[in-house]
Amino acid sequence: DAGVTQSPTHLIKTRGQHVTLRCSPISGHKSVSWYQQVLGQGPQFIFQYYEKEERGRGNFPDRFSARQFPNYSSELNVNALLLGDSALYLCASSWSIGGYTFGSGTRLTVV
Amino acid sequence: GQQLNQSPQSMFIQEGEDVSMNCTSSSIFNTWLWYKQDPGEGPVLLIALYKAGELTSNGRLTAQFGITRKDSFLNISASIPSDVGIYFCAGQDTGNQFYFGTGTSLTVIP
């Protein structure tokens, strides 16, 4: 069985641009969570979705948004990119509220 | 965002030694999780704890959910070289938000 898959694996963007990151959960999992991990730190919670509804939101600006599709895949969107948005973006899925199994992440570099 | 206090920050141990690390929070959590993360990869779940006082093992790993619901510890027995990595605790609060610890970097010397 495929695990949590994220795309792209690496991305380089310029300040001010917009980015969309994608996540496919494990088959049967209905919950997807997004995290930001800056080098040397633990992951920071951004969003949690369950059954296509937002169930949790971390302390991130409105430039960050997400959605979950009927097939339970998810997108994370970040507008007006800043240098400080450079990080590893992780997606996690679970069958219920949670988000316990992580993907390998998308490495975003903003220049 | 909130992060849990995890200690120690780093450990250098001889192969075969036991390891202990812990995590504390000012908030009550409903769930405690322990993850291991290798460079360039996402965290991998090691142990999940759902009840105060719960003690759970996974091979050489043992973790406990503190009675106060504000702490947890992870023990690794008889360490081996592949135990090298960064270990994170994570807690889920009553609002379903997850908070991660600052990480413990483990180095095992053969």
Side-chain angles (χ1 to χ4, degrees):
Chain A
D1 284 344
V4 178
T5 57
Q6 292 187 243
S7 62
T9 55
H10 296 83
L11 200 54
I12 299 176
K13 289 286 192 178
T14 304
R15 275 180 300 176
Q17 284 189 314
H18 160 273
V19 69
T20 297
L21 310 180
R22 295 178 175 82
C23 173
S24 292
I26 292 173
S27 177
H29 284 193
K30 298 180 179 180
S31 174
V32 169
S33 300
W34 286 95
Y35 295 81
Q36 180 195 65
Q37 187 175 26
V38 174
L39 197 62
Q41 297 183 18
Q44 296 273 357
F45 174 73
I46 308 175
F47 286 110
Q48 180 179 93
Y49 278 79
Y50 178 71
E51 288 280 17
K52 302 179 288 295
E53 291 189 4
E54 182 182 302
R55 295 298 186 97
R57 175 185 284 253
N59 188 25
F60 279 80
D62 291 342
R63 299 184 296 107
F64 289 77
S65 64
R67 55 180 175 167
Q68 187 177 30
F69 299 100
N71 65 355
Y72 302 112
S73 67
S74 178
E75 284 182 353
L76 175 70
N77 295 286
V78 186
N79 292 325
L81 285 166
L82 304 174
L83 295 179
D85 295 330
S86 296
L88 180 67
Y89 288 85
L90 295 162
C91 172
S93 78
S94 70
W95 66 273
S96 181
I97 295 287
Y100 298 162
T101 305
F102 282 85
S104 296
T106 294
R107 173 70 63 187
L108 173 65
T109 302
V110 182
V111 297
Chain B
Q2 177 180 345
Q3 284 206 322
L4 307 178
N5 295 315
Q6 188 172 344
S7 65
Q9 184 176 0
S10 62
M11 301 182 73
F12 293 80
I13 62 169
Q14 291 288 138
E15 182 177 356
E17 289 184 347
D18 296 343
V19 172
S20 184
M21 59 191 78
N22 65 74
C23 210
T24 60
S25 168
S26 57
S27 304
I28 288 175
F29 288 119
N30 291 331
T31 302
W32 280 96
L33 307 169
W34 284 92
Y35 287 91
K36 178 175 182 277
Q37 186 173 27
D38 293 327
E41 299 292 328
V44 174
L45 181 65
L46 301 173
I47 292 180
L49 303 159
Y50 301 103
K51 290 194 321 184
E54 180 180 352
L55 183 72
T56 298
S57 293
N58 178 9
R60 295 179 295 106
L61 279 60
T62 302
Q64 185 159 29
F65 193 139
I67 291 292
T68 66
R69 296 170 64 191
K70 292 183 178 181
D71 63 334
S72 178
F73 73 75
L74 174 71
N75 286 340
I76 304 173
S77 63
S79 59
I80 59 178
S82 63
D83 291 334
V84 165
I86 300 179
Y87 291 79
F88 289 101
C89 62
Q92 183 180 23
D93 68 9
T94 54
N96 291 326
Q97 287 209 18
F98 277 90
Y99 299 95
F100 274 76
T102 46
T104 295
S105 175
L106 177 63
T107 301
V108 179
I109 303 167

